[in-house]
Amino acid sequence: MNWIDPYTFLLWVLGLGSMLIAGALLKPPRKLARTLLAMSTGLAGLFILLTVFELVSNDRSTMVMLRNFQQVPLVIIPIFLLGYAKELYREDSLKTIRMLSLMAIPTVIDLTLLFTNPFHGWMREGVTIESIWGYSEVSTQATPLNGFLGVYPFVLSLLTIFILLRNMFEVPERYRATHWVSALVITLPILSITVLPALSIEIPGLFALSYGSMALLLIIVNKRRDFNAVWPVSRQEVLENLSEGIILFDRDGRILEANRAVYTIIENIYDARHSSLIEESVSHVFEDVPYLMDPFNEERNFFYEKNGYYFDVKVMKLNDKGNDVSMMVWQDITSQKEVELQLQELATKDPLTKLLNRRAFLEMYKESPDKGEAYFLLIDIDHFKGFNDRYGHAIGDEVLKYTAYLLEKVFSGQGNSVTRLGGEEFGVFMKADADKAVRKAEEFQNLLKHDSLKISPVIEEEVTVSIGMCHVLSEDSFEDVYYSADEAMYQAKHGGRDQVRVADPV
């Protein structure tokens, strides 16, 4: 028999081409689905080449040996394709490998019995050589045991087709074509192997031709229909590497899918770890989020903050698959919020003391038309220039910061505001009557004098302040109130400092 004629040349090209493509697919980046598809293609190529050698050989024992080796890819390819179908839907490499290991047990038994058949004769009752299209081909008479084990690869192929078709309805519409076309391609060898002989159509190397064609068609399907499922990054990997937390849940609020970012978010905001969120209730996992008590009923967008983390959360329904499924997206905006808060602080806070700056304090005063019973206190540190000249500006800054700290401590309360108006001058807007305002002012003075050494051990004298107070009415402008308090404060200065003076009404 001529080694190179049109038909064998076609098989040579198909076999070698399959093996070359398989080698290319095994290059990084490697995914299990891609690897299984590559190995199936490589085995199909090997199957074709072994068949070519059988067709052109004239030695009976060589032909039988080649037929035995052809059984290896014939029974292993369906196992790999089953794993490919499972990984195409949802990646879980360890679980898939464990499943394939169990599925391979009957195949190992089949191959072991086949290769040891000359010793026990359990697999074949006889072997004959037939001629098809002028090619010599081995024909075997199988035993019932061989027939039983030989059905197993077909069962695996049917199971693969079922998994692909079932999962087709669980993926977005744009990915369904990969599943149903893959199922159709895997059906072709079964149909050709069963239907063509029934129609008395004989083709030499039919099994190898069918499986080789199937492998190449699967490559084309995944290349053209769904590039990312196998070539080179999976959709699952994309989902897992998103910085946003993605949660899919059903109409009862049960979580169907959650990516890695969700687990990190929950660990950060609740200080808790979950091994799995699947089948958990959304309202239970996020029990402090009122918007998620009944998450499925409507789409919404809300802001959430906890433990210093800020999130923009969107809940939307997914209607493209006809399923009652919603998606929740948690976008971490902590960095953005921190910048926003820093800008807000720069706009409203004094950079040294962190009190309200003059502009923010004036806005607060103007936006409070109903001032009720209130007083404005103007506070000035006595001899502050002397502190700076004697101890340096670093100690002067410490005096300012400690003064601000005590002001907030003493005058904190509903409706009260504390500001640094400039230099060593501070202001307090206080909701209180005259007696309470004076009492608080004197309490502050005493605390500051008592804590002078806490500011810095190098300070030898007491830090004192002069305070001018003015009663505030709703109609009073800040300029008038400030002027009156300033007059009272200078009376305290001229009266010996470290005093509190109350101004006459504006």
Side-chain angles (χ1 to χ4, degrees):
M1 175 61 62
N2 189 358
W3 282 68
I4 302 295
D5 63 21
Y7 185 64
T8 55
F9 179 76
L10 172 64
L11 293 179
W12 276 113
V13 172
L14 191 59
L16 291 173
S18 298
M19 298 188 75
L20 287 173
I21 292 174
L25 281 176
L26 287 173
K27 293 179 180 179
R30 295 186 181 92
K31 305 299 297 180
L32 184 56
R34 177 176 175 169
T35 300
L36 291 172
L37 187 56
M39 293 173 69
S40 299
T41 305
L43 285 173
L46 177 62
F47 190 4
I48 294 171
L49 295 180
L50 289 171
T51 301
V52 172
F53 285 119
E54 178 191 339
L55 293 177
V56 299
S57 176
N58 294 317
D59 182 72
R60 177 188 175 90
S61 60
T62 301
M63 294 174 67
V64 172
M65 179 189 67
L66 290 170
R67 175 56 63 93
N68 289 342
F69 280 107
Q70 289 171 35
Q71 293 297 115
V72 176
L74 182 62
V75 296
I76 292 179
I77 289 174
I79 298 176
F80 288 164
L81 291 180
L82 179 63
Y84 154 78
K86 184 178 179 301
E87 286 288 299
L88 190 64
Y89 172 61
R90 178 174 297 168
E91 289 187 352
D92 191 341
S93 298
L94 291 177
K95 187 180 291 186
T96 300
I97 291 171
R98 285 197 296 266
M99 180 195 73
L100 296 185
S101 299
L102 292 174
M103 292 291 186
I105 293 174
T107 299
V108 172
I109 295 172
D110 184 8
L111 292 175
T112 302
L113 290 174
L114 180 65
F115 280 95
T116 58
N117 186 71
F119 302 100
H120 51 69
W122 294 349
M123 299 295 283
R124 288 174 181 163
E125 294 180 347
V127 176
T128 59
I129 305 298
E130 295 183 351
S131 179
I132 303 175
W133 294 9
Y135 298 97
S136 299
E137 192 173 52
V138 172
S139 176
T140 61
Q141 289 76 50
T143 64
L145 176 61
N146 191 357
F148 175 76
L149 292 173
V151 172
Y152 185 64
F154 291 95
V155 173
L156 291 181
S157 296
L158 292 173
L159 180 59
T160 302
I161 293 167
F162 170 76
I163 290 174
L164 287 167
L165 293 177
R166 185 199 64 181
N167 293 341
M168 179 180 71
F169 299 101
E170 300 295 329
V171 298
E173 187 173 355
R174 60 179 295 190
Y175 299 122
R176 292 179 186 174
T178 301
H179 286 72
W180 73 259
V181 176
S182 294
L184 178 62
V185 169
I186 294 172
T187 305
L188 294 179
I190 300 175
L191 292 175
S192 64
I193 291 167
T194 56
V195 174
L196 292 181
L199 298 176
S200 300
I201 300 174
E202 294 183 329
I203 299 175
L206 177 60
F207 279 69
L209 184 63
S210 300
Y211 274 86
S213 302
M214 174 196 69
L216 290 179
L217 286 173
L218 283 175
I219 297 293
I220 294 171
V221 167
N222 284 279
K223 177 69 173 178
R224 295 177 59 84
R225 298 278 182 176
D226 189 4
F227 185 90
N228 283 333
V230 178
W231 237 302
V233 181
S234 70
R235 300 185 301 277
Q236 187 72 14
E237 184 173 354
V238 172
L239 182 67
E240 287 299 320
N241 283 280
L242 287 174
S243 59
E244 294 87 355
I246 308 294
I247 299 175
L248 299 179
F249 57 93
D250 63 18
R251 66 175 303 103
D252 297 321
R254 290 177 304 177
I255 296 175
L256 306 174
E257 187 69 71
N259 68 348
R260 188 183 300 124
V262 172
Y263 292 86
T264 302
I265 289 169
I266 292 174
E267 184 176 346
N268 288 337
I269 64 178
Y270 295 119
D271 213 13
R273 292 190 176 187
H274 291 259
S275 58
S276 175
L277 293 172
I278 307 304
E279 296 297 324
E280 290 275 349
S281 168
V282 170
S283 58
H284 175 71
V285 175
F286 302 99
E287 58 186 0
D288 64 326
V289 186
Y291 300 103
L292 300 179
M293 292 302 100
D294 190 10
F296 188 82
N297 276 349
E298 59 182 276
E299 297 188 354
R300 54 175 66 91
N301 189 356
F302 60 90
F303 172 78
Y304 178 80
E305 183 273 328
K306 191 178 181 71
N307 285 350
Y309 292 91
Y310 300 84
F311 298 92
D312 181 31
V313 186
K314 294 183 178 66
V315 180
M316 61 199 81
K317 290 186 178 181
L318 302 179
N319 298 318
D320 62 322
K321 295 184 291 181
N323 294 326
D324 290 339
V325 176
S326 290
M327 179 171 69
M328 180 162 40
V329 180
W330 287 69
Q331 182 178 9
D332 190 339
I333 58 170
T334 302
S335 298
Q336 174 185 335
K337 193 66 179 178
E338 286 174 348
V339 171
E340 182 182 319
L341 293 174
Q342 288 171 4
L343 292 174
Q344 183 179 348
E345 182 172 306
L346 288 173
T348 61
K349 297 293 182 70
D350 173 64
L352 178 65
T353 63
K354 306 304 178 185
L355 296 177
L356 287 176
N357 59 26
R358 184 185 186 95
R359 184 172 64 83
F361 182 81
L362 289 176
E363 288 180 359
M364 180 279 304
Y365 184 89
K366 291 175 182 178
E367 291 173 1
S368 303
D370 183 16
K371 305 207 171 32
E373 184 74 7
Y375 274 82
F376 174 69
L377 286 66
L378 185 62
I379 303 160
D380 189 86
I381 301 174
D382 297 328
H383 305 296
F384 184 71
K385 185 177 182 301
F387 274 99
N388 278 336
D389 293 341
R390 182 175 180 182
Y391 301 113
H393 288 280
I395 299 299
D397 287 346
E398 292 302 315
V399 170
L400 291 172
K401 288 192 286 187
Y402 199 81
T403 301
Y405 160 73
L406 282 183
L407 283 171
E408 284 198 310
K409 180 179 178 181
V410 172
F411 293 101
S412 63
Q414 184 69 31
N416 296 351
S417 296
V418 181
T419 181
R420 182 188 177 195
L421 293 169
E424 68 271 26
E425 193 174 75
F426 297 85
V428 176
F429 178 81
M430 184 181 184
K431 291 288 186 73
D433 56 27
D435 290 340
K436 182 177 180 181
V438 170
R439 188 168 63 252
K440 282 289 186 180
E442 291 175 345
E443 178 187 344
F444 168 72
Q445 286 181 316
N446 293 330
L447 275 174
L448 185 60
K449 285 187 290 185
H450 181 269
D451 289 355
S452 295
L453 289 177
K454 289 184 180 180
I455 300 173
S456 175
V458 303
I459 297 178
E460 297 177 354
E461 61 268 55
E462 292 180 335
V463 179
T464 62
V465 294
S466 297
I467 302 176
M469 292 175 45
C470 176
H471 185 230
V472 180
L473 299 175
S474 297
E475 64 271 15
D476 293 339
S477 68
F478 180 75
E479 288 77 11
D480 291 338
V481 170
Y482 178 85
Y483 178 80
S484 297
D486 189 54
E487 287 289 320
M489 187 263 290
Y490 273 101
Q491 290 175 18
K493 293 275 189 186
H494 294 310
R497 293 182 169 81
D498 190 24
Q499 296 182 17
V500 178
R501 293 292 176 89
V502 180
D504 296 329
V506 177

